[in-house]
Amino acid sequence: MKILIKNGTVIDPVIGDIKKSDVLIENNRISSVIPNISEDKCEIFDASGLFVCPGFVDIHVHLREPGFETMETIETGTRAALKGGFTTVACMPNTNPPVDNEGIVSLIKLRAEKDGYVEVLPVACITKQRKGEELAEIGKLVAAGACAISDDGSSVMNSMVMRRAFEYIKMFNIPLIAHCEDHNLSKRGQINEGYYSTSLGLNGIPSISEESMIMRDILLCEYVDSRLHIAHVSTKGSVQIIREAKKRGVKVTCETAPHFFSLTEEVLAGYDTNFKVNPPLREKEDLLAIQRGLKDGTIDAIATDHAPHTSDDKNKEFQDAPFGMIGLETAFSVGVTELVKKNILTLPELIKKLTTGPAEVLNIERGIIKEGSLANITIVDKDKKYTVDKEFFVGKSKNSPFIGRELTGSIEGVFVNGKLKYDKGVFNK
Amino acid sequence: MHEWTRKHLLSIEELSKEEILTILETAESFKDISLRPIKKSPVLRGKTIVLLFYEPSTRTSTSFSLAAKRLSADIVNIPVKSSSVQKGESLIDTVANLEALKIHTVVMRHSRAGAPMMLAKHTNASIINAGDGCHEHPTQALLDMFTIKQNKGSFDGLKITIVGDILHSRVARSNIWGLSKLGAEVTVCGPPTMIPVEVEKMGVKVTYDLKEAIAGADVVNLLRVQFERESGMLFPSVREYAAMFSMDDTMERFMKKDALIMHPGPINRGVEISSSMADGKRSVILEQVTNGLAVRMAVLYLISGEKNNSEEA
Ligand SMILES: [Zn+2]
């Protein structure tokens, strides 16, 4: 069975190239990327006026399964991923039970194979029970299929434990993904510490709680010559610290989330819990620094930190509502609207942050569109406009900060492993 | 007088200068009523006002309750133990139930900042914020402003100092907004650990020196210091706090002759203020309590009175 993606413009983020070309898929691989491929015996996907990209890779999502299935499941979360153009997602281990033994890794992989719409790579815990005290059985977790380790949601506060984790992972080809937050400095914090925490009477989460922990983790990683990936970078200071570390050769990479290059803390003035997220929305100068970091390569990847919560949980008093916002369905559009249309990044640069950038962090062969590569392909319209409403979301939860906004850029078709799984709003499992 | 159109009273920040003055002028006429032998007015007859207090506050709830009685409203008191906030029914459900009973106005005290704003989005009833977390306490600030107006006449160029735990004080935030809108100059004073970041952007000056803060001030408003907060992280001991920030007799000579001393109560005698100062000639602390009644009558009248209800119908 051959599928021909015809008349599109192919974006190759590896070489930053854009060219008119057809793409031929045979079985689950790309067999040819050249113009004017003959249509003989092919099923045709007409990509006229559209851009053909490698399937997007999101290295930071919360699928909530096992344990929190009222918020999201592997099935619903990967459906949201598919709608957002993601063909590979790495899911964080703060489930219940947490992913600190190989049984849970296997469970997630099995569920993903059975019910998932896209490829799922489990991230396992750094420490047992995510308590930050003893190392999890990282060797067994990696053998079972963990793509990285992280205690996402918290920092490993004990520096000795963190040092040992950095040392230990040198045996494996995986990064340590660090959620950087000094929990003493951010204690009881609700929103960014600044004018709004003062005027709204909410406890602040200062930028230094993130920056001081990033600094510590970089120093530990550098000292034992290990690999560090920093999750959800949100402040100007963080970008600068990472830029300097990269310059002196530390093996550090980082990601930011769409909400950090599109939203600032003013939106919190009405206490809307859909804007409550950790790290919190920051200030204008942080947003600008994040955008510059994306442009100059300090920030390697855009990852959504897709964090579903039920409306019952979000409809609480601000202090009692959980942190987190969903992001899979809107990530590409927010990127086009806030970065490409505002001339911060070119379209290929944005695609790179959604494909090869994150794939290189995990050191996986994804995010590539060339002869012989796996046929994970996302086809986009960069000019199509739409207004986000609750019905737009296909995951279980609707806690998006972009409801009501007009966004530009839409996902028109997604091939996963050679199969057309999403075709202009229609899902084929 | 400026026409009142607001459905809720959620914060002082959202009010205009004219709206604040409307409340203060309305309060003046109610203060006159309270001096008459027959103190009741029928303006809220047939209206139901719910006092929903998620945090115990005898002073504020008593004041609202009496204000509503003076205006002939029906009052439903729902004290909620703060512990049930987490375990029990959600706030939205509680108010949905009240609304099913056709109430007009909810006076609400809550330990969480923003709770009244959330409620206002989910109900048809009018919400009066009687204090939400560390955010605002509008009627306290209004009665403070009313007391200042009664004593000083006008706000233009008046220098007002607020001393204490500004970080955790809703009274301070509401006062800062209100007084600045009315043209007063506000200074906040306390140990740096109790001064919130970027508070200058709210239009105030900051000093850590009590003498400097009270020199030239027309009004010194002392906040209650709560010892239980952040166990020893905000200041080392009550003794040390009192030594540096207590308004006692030794401060007298640094004050302007006609400067007033205010306190939202309840007072920690010997901590933020000495008894001699609290009970002395500058103190208007009891006058504040009396004025609280008139101000809360004014707020209830403006929010729940005829005009606002005909809009709802
Ligand atoms: Zn995290």
Side-chain angles (χ1 to χ4, degrees):
Chain A
M1 176 66 179
K2 293 192 214 173
I3 304 171
L4 181 60
I5 302 171
K6 198 104 192 97
N7 303 324
T9 304
V10 172
I11 297 181
D12 181 348
V14 178
I15 48 176
D17 192 23
I18 280 200
K19 63 169 189 274
K20 283 259 173 204
S21 185
D22 294 346
V23 177
L24 185 65
I25 300 170
E26 285 184 75
N27 300 318
N28 64 341
R29 298 262 159 197
I30 293 170
S31 63
S32 180
V33 186
I34 48 168
N36 305 317
I37 298 173
S38 141
E39 300 180 12
D40 267 9
K41 295 178 208 156
C42 288
E43 200 173 296
I44 304 290
F45 185 101
D46 182 10
S48 303
L50 305 177
F51 287 88
V52 181
C53 316
F56 301 163
V57 177
D58 189 345
I59 53 175
H60 195 140
V61 304
H62 297 272
L63 298 180
R64 303 294 190 215
E65 191 179 349
F68 305 105
E69 290 84 354
T70 54
M71 303 173 188
E72 193 81 282
T73 62
I74 288 168
E75 181 179 10
T76 59
T78 54
R79 187 166 63 208
L82 183 65
K83 178 157 186 171
F86 294 94
T87 54
T88 300
V89 295
C91 59
M92 285 296 163
N94 58 340
T95 48
N96 186 22
V99 189
D100 67 352
N101 67 74
E102 66 266 43
I104 310 290
V105 176
S106 306
L107 174 82
I108 291 169
K109 286 179 68 181
L110 276 171
R111 297 282 289 127
E113 271 162 40
K114 189 167 154 280
D115 298 326
Y117 287 82
V118 307
E119 180 180 35
V120 176
L121 305 175
V123 177
C125 298
I126 301 171
T127 63
K128 293 192 177 96
Q129 296 290 316
R130 295 178 57 246
K131 281 185 178 163
E133 292 163 2
E134 289 173 61
L135 294 184
E137 292 175 310
I138 297 166
K140 286 194 179 298
L141 292 161
V142 171
C147 68
I149 54 164
S150 178
D151 276 2
D152 186 45
S154 359
S155 272
V156 175
M157 286 295 287
N158 184 324
S159 304
M160 189 57 169
V161 175
M162 195 63 164
R163 174 208 160 130
R164 293 301 185 213
F166 275 122
E167 284 175 322
Y168 197 73
I169 62 160
K170 291 173 73 175
M171 292 192 286
F172 314 105
N173 181 25
I174 54 157
L176 185 155
I177 302 177
H179 168 119
C180 293
E181 172 180 3
D182 183 322
H183 294 284
N184 290 319
L185 285 170
S186 63
K187 200 168 178 182
R188 290 197 305 272
Q190 301 292 314
I191 65 170
N192 179 51
E193 180 170 289
Y195 172 72
Y196 284 92
S197 64
T198 290
S199 68
L200 295 173
L202 294 168
N203 284 311
I205 302 173
S207 53
I208 48 166
S209 77
E210 175 174 318
E211 291 156 5
S212 62
M213 199 49 91
I214 287 181
M215 190 68 108
R216 182 202 73 168
D217 286 350
I218 284 174
L219 291 174
L220 289 174
C221 174
E222 185 175 19
Y223 186 72
V224 302
D225 189 28
S226 189
R227 253 180 84 197
L228 165 63
H229 175 74
I230 297 163
H232 39 57
V233 168
S234 76
T235 79
K236 183 182 174 182
S238 300
V239 175
Q240 188 53 30
I241 292 165
I242 296 163
R243 184 179 286 130
E244 284 162 12
K246 282 188 162 189
K247 214 176 272 174
R248 65 174 190 270
V250 183
K251 284 181 259 171
V252 57
T253 53
C254 73
E255 77 199 27
T256 191
H259 43 271
F260 294 128
F261 59 73
S262 59
L263 298 171
T264 49
E265 57 176 357
E266 299 91 87
V267 294
L268 285 151
Y271 294 94
D272 184 340
T273 56
N274 274 348
F275 296 114
K276 181 175 175 178
V277 67
N278 187 26
L281 300 179
R282 304 285 188 182
E283 300 174 23
K284 182 81 183 177
E285 62 174 43
D286 297 303
L287 177 142
L288 295 174
I290 295 286
Q291 294 185 343
R292 281 194 299 275
L294 282 164
K295 181 75 186 175
D296 73 13
T298 303
I299 301 174
D300 302 86
I302 293 169
T304 63
D305 196 4
H306 181 80
H309 289 288
T310 65
S311 56
D312 285 343
D313 285 342
K314 278 290 188 181
N315 273 337
K316 283 185 179 161
E317 294 86 324
F318 196 89
Q319 191 179 329
D320 304 318
F323 291 98
M325 37 179 70
I326 55 170
L328 281 166
E329 293 100 323
T330 49
F332 171 72
S333 314
V334 174
V336 172
T337 309
E338 298 294 332
L339 300 174
V340 178
K341 295 293 173 189
K342 294 183 178 170
N343 298 318
I344 312 288
L345 295 186
T346 63
L347 184 62
E349 283 170 336
L350 171 65
I351 298 303
K352 186 172 183 179
K353 304 294 178 191
L354 291 165
T355 56
T356 48
E360 279 163 17
V361 169
L362 293 184
N363 203 5
I364 51 173
E365 271 189 52
R366 294 289 181 271
I368 302 160
I369 193 161
K370 66 170 191 209
E371 199 183 307
S373 66
L374 196 68
N376 286 347
I377 295 169
T378 294
I379 297 158
V380 304
D381 181 335
K382 76 167 173 59
D383 299 311
K384 197 187 229 178
K385 287 186 162 64
Y386 66 98
T387 300
V388 184
D389 56 18
K390 277 190 177 167
E391 284 65 44
F392 179 74
F393 297 98
V394 296
K396 261 197 182 171
S397 296
K398 316 290 174 195
N399 53 310
S400 165
F402 300 109
I403 291 170
R405 281 217 184 191
E406 191 190 63
L407 297 178
T408 305
S410 80
I411 307 298
E412 296 296 304
V414 183
F415 288 86
V416 182
N417 212 12
K419 294 196 184 71
L420 182 60
K421 292 266 186 109
Y422 180 77
D423 186 7
K424 300 181 182 69
V426 180
F427 294 87
N428 311 305
K429 206 166 190 174
Chain B
M1 199 151 62
H2 186 81
E3 201 186 347
W4 186 264
T5 54
R6 229 170 247 282
K7 181 180 165 79
H8 310 287
L9 177 64
L10 300 174
S11 70
I12 300 293
E13 184 183 6
E14 68 181 5
L15 299 182
S16 66
K17 177 180 181 177
E18 290 68 32
E19 285 173 310
I20 295 170
L21 289 172
T22 299
I23 298 170
L24 300 186
E25 283 161 31
T26 309
E28 262 160 48
S29 58
F30 281 118
K31 191 168 183 183
D32 295 345
I33 292 177
S34 67
L35 298 174
R36 285 189 217 146
I38 299 165
K39 296 179 169 61
K40 263 189 133 157
S41 155
V43 291
L44 295 187
R45 182 163 293 148
K47 303 284 161 59
T48 307
I49 289 164
V50 171
L51 302 184
L52 182 61
F53 275 59
Y54 280 86
E55 224 182 35
S57 164
T58 322
R59 304 165 74 92
T60 307
S61 68
T62 307
S63 180
F64 266 111
S65 186
L66 193 54
K69 276 186 192 138
R70 292 263 166 97
L71 299 173
S72 312
D74 297 323
I75 302 155
V76 181
N77 233 307
I78 309 180
V80 191
K81 280 196 187 119
S82 50
S83 62
S84 66
V85 173
Q86 299 278 12
K87 295 172 202 160
E89 185 177 49
S90 83
L91 181 56
I92 291 173
D93 285 340
T94 304
V95 172
N97 277 293
L98 291 172
E99 214 179 303
L101 300 170
K102 306 281 175 245
I103 48 134
H104 299 96
T105 304
V106 178
V107 176
M108 180 184 169
R109 161 68 61 94
H110 203 291
S111 61
R112 304 301 198 217
M117 293 74 198
M118 179 182 84
L119 212 53
K121 279 186 224 156
H122 286 92
T123 175
N124 289 315
S126 286
I127 309 290
I128 294 173
N129 180 3
D132 63 323
C134 300
H135 176 225
E136 284 223 32
H137 191 348
T139 57
Q140 177 68 45
L142 287 163
L143 75 88
D144 291 346
M145 292 185 266
F146 184 78
T147 306
I148 293 168
K149 188 162 184 260
Q150 296 247 307
N151 283 280
K152 299 285 180 188
S154 118
F155 292 90
D156 275 327
L158 222 53
K159 289 192 165 68
I160 294 165
T161 292
I162 306 172
V163 183
D165 183 357
I166 311 297
L167 179 61
H168 293 103
S169 176
R170 53 191 172 213
V171 175
R173 285 174 177 77
S174 289
N175 263 292
I176 290 168
W177 290 125
L179 291 165
S180 317
K181 283 171 204 260
L182 295 176
E185 267 177 44
V186 183
T187 298
V188 296
C189 174
T193 47
M194 289 178 166
I195 305 290
V197 299
E198 298 187 41
V199 71
E200 295 87 349
K201 285 192 187 162
M202 289 176 76
V204 301
K205 284 186 203 154
V206 176
T207 172
Y208 310 133
D209 179 347
L210 183 62
K211 283 175 202 150
E212 189 189 314
I214 61 175
D218 298 292
V219 177
V220 179
N221 197 346
L222 300 156
L223 302 174
R224 179 182 166 78
V225 177
Q226 285 173 288
F227 311 121
E228 59 276 13
R229 291 206 191 267
E230 294 190 21
S231 55
M233 299 264 261
L234 292 176
F235 59 95
S237 67
V238 172
R239 205 168 72 111
E240 181 154 317
Y241 181 87
M244 297 178 79
F245 294 98
S246 182
M247 197 55 150
D248 58 21
D249 296 341
T250 63
M251 290 294 139
E252 176 67 42
R253 63 197 166 94
F254 301 104
M255 296 183 79
K256 264 174 91 169
K257 265 210 163 59
D258 58 349
L260 305 175
I261 286 182
M262 298 174 74
H263 193 298
I267 301 172
N268 291 312
R269 288 176 183 264
V271 183
E272 65 264 4
I273 187 168
S274 67
S275 280
S276 56
M277 288 298 248
D279 306 330
K281 61 180 192 335
R282 297 172 177 285
S283 169
V284 290
I285 296 173
L286 291 175
E287 202 181 320
Q288 285 174 271
V289 178
T290 311
N291 289 339
L293 186 60
V295 162
R296 291 182 174 114
M297 286 170 80
V299 167
L300 287 171
Y301 168 72
L302 291 169
I303 295 286
S304 320
E306 279 313 322
K307 197 175 51 57
N308 246 326
N309 274 326
S310 56
E311 272 173 19
E312 267 174 53

